[in-house]
Amino acid sequence: MAITHALAVGQALPPLEKELTQRHIDAYSGVRTRSIHTDEAWARAKGFRTTLAQGMMSTAYVSEMLTRLLGTGFIRGGSMSVAFVQPVYAGDRLTVHGVVKDLRPEADATRVVVEVWCENQHGQKTAVGTASGLLR
Amino acid sequence: MIQFTPLTYDALKVGEEFVSDTLLVTPEDVDTYAFAVDDHHSWFSGTSPFGGPVAHPTFAANQALRLRHSRYVVHAGLHAKMQFEFLEPIRVGMRVRSRGRVIDKYVRRGKQYMVTEYVTEDEAGTPLVRGQFTQMLIPA
């Protein structure tokens, strides 16, 4: 259900926490050989300590945060721009953060722009960017 | 018949276009996606303000991200950047496909990148999601 109370610039959104198990990664990426996401030996051969989650999984988490905030105004009218700045490994725990950055009129609604980022259990940012949607 | 070739920076051409196969959006696939990202919003499995169940907004993103696999054997790669515009909901029961075009390739700090813009459409050609992504090529 979307949050309907008034939003303010600078307001922090409720964070999301996500455990990325190999099972989640397998379901997301599909199990394949010679994949850095689902074949541990292949991931190690490519220089990673273990399998990696797809960066796209973090966009799904941001999408969940914005859908919780704006409901239909994100599913129809939302946007996102994210850079993946650190790898996310199987077994990591991510916390997804969002802070309202801008509120601006758009047609008969208000576009809510949120600065978003994901942090791993070591406090390192793994994804950074912005997402927005319409508050009607 | 498609003649697959290894993806290399030199082989890749700016301007080349890709089209995915068509994907039927099934309740099972939507449920699997919900499990994968641990987001079980009620709109994914029951009624929604859109008149029926819808998929997670990023549900079809991997169809787009894998567009290059329709022509190339991809050794390995990393996703560097992603942009989305969510235009219309992806509804359960739709058949969706993605079309993309390589709009840039470049080398930065010794790493090779490709940039693709894409659209995911329903069977009538209605755009559902537009986006752009940057992928780093990991050489064999």
Side-chain angles (χ1 to χ4, degrees), chain B residues 17-52:
Chain B
E17 298 184 346
F18 305 106
V19 181
S20 76
D21 285 341
T22 299
L23 172 71
L24 173 62
V25 180
T26 68
E28 292 90 342
D29 287 345
V30 171
D31 192 42
T32 298
Y33 194 92
F35 166 80
V37 300
D38 190 23
D39 179 7
H40 298 275
H41 198 295
S42 62
W43 295 351
F44 303 154
S45 55
T47 58
S48 78
F50 301 105

Side-chain angles (χ1 to χ4, degrees), chain B:
Chain B
M1 181 74 85
I2 294 173
Q3 300 293 321
F4 288 96
T5 57
L7 176 63
T8 64
Y9 186 79
D10 290 339
L12 187 71
K13 295 176 184 63
V14 173
E16 68 178 296
E17 298 184 346
F18 305 106
V19 181
S20 76
D21 285 341
T22 299
L23 172 71
L24 173 62
V25 180
T26 68
E28 292 90 342
D29 287 345
V30 171
D31 192 42
T32 298
Y33 194 92
F35 166 80
V37 300
D38 190 23
D39 179 7
H40 298 275
H41 198 295
S42 62
W43 295 351
F44 303 154
S45 55
T47 58
S48 78
F50 301 105
V54 296
H56 198 286
T58 55
F59 171 82
N62 263 350
Q63 184 188 60
L65 200 65
R66 293 183 58 80
L67 277 167
R68 61 188 183 173
H69 293 256
S70 65
R71 185 172 308 143
Y72 293 109
V73 177
V74 181
H75 178 72
L78 285 178
H79 195 173
K81 296 178 187 173
M82 187 75 210
Q83 295 175 18
F84 292 108
E85 284 180 69
F86 303 109
L87 306 171
E88 291 291 335
I90 299 172
R91 300 169 191 272
V92 171
M94 277 182 169
R95 294 180 192 274
V96 300
R97 71 172 183 177
S98 296
R99 295 185 291 108
R101 186 167 64 93
V102 179
I103 59 169
D104 194 13
K105 66 175 187 177
Y106 59 89
V107 177
R108 184 168 296 164
R109 296 178 190 154
K111 309 285 189 190
Q112 300 169 337
Y113 295 90
M114 61 182 286
V115 184
T116 307
E117 66 177 12
Y118 82 97
V119 59
T120 300
E121 304 168 332
D122 67 10
E123 52 266 74
T126 304
L128 306 171
V129 182
R130 290 188 199 278
Q132 181 176 307
F133 49 86
T134 303
Q135 295 164 298
M136 190 180 87
L137 281 59
I138 298 179

Side-chain angles (χ1 to χ4, degrees), chain A residues 2 5 13-14 18 25 28 34 38 58 66 70 75 80 93 100 102 112 119:
Chain A
H5 59 70
L13 304 181
K18 296 289 179 178
I25 295 170
Y28 192 89
R34 299 188 178 195
T38 59
S58 293
L66 270 285
L70 300 169
I75 293 176
M80 189 189 314
R93 171 188 284 269
V100 177
D102 193 18
V112 180
E119 274 181 9

Side-chain angles (χ1 to χ4, degrees), chain A residues 52-92:
Chain A
L52 295 89
Q54 276 189 248
M56 199 80 93
M57 293 180 76
S58 293
T59 69
Y61 305 150
V62 170
S63 178
E64 176 182 347
M65 173 177 272
L66 270 285
T67 301
R68 286 189 187 189
L69 180 70
L70 300 169
T72 58
F74 184 71
I75 293 176
R76 179 186 279 148
S79 69
M80 189 189 314
S81 178
V82 173
F84 307 108
V85 295
Q86 287 286 337
V88 176
Y89 292 100
D92 279 358

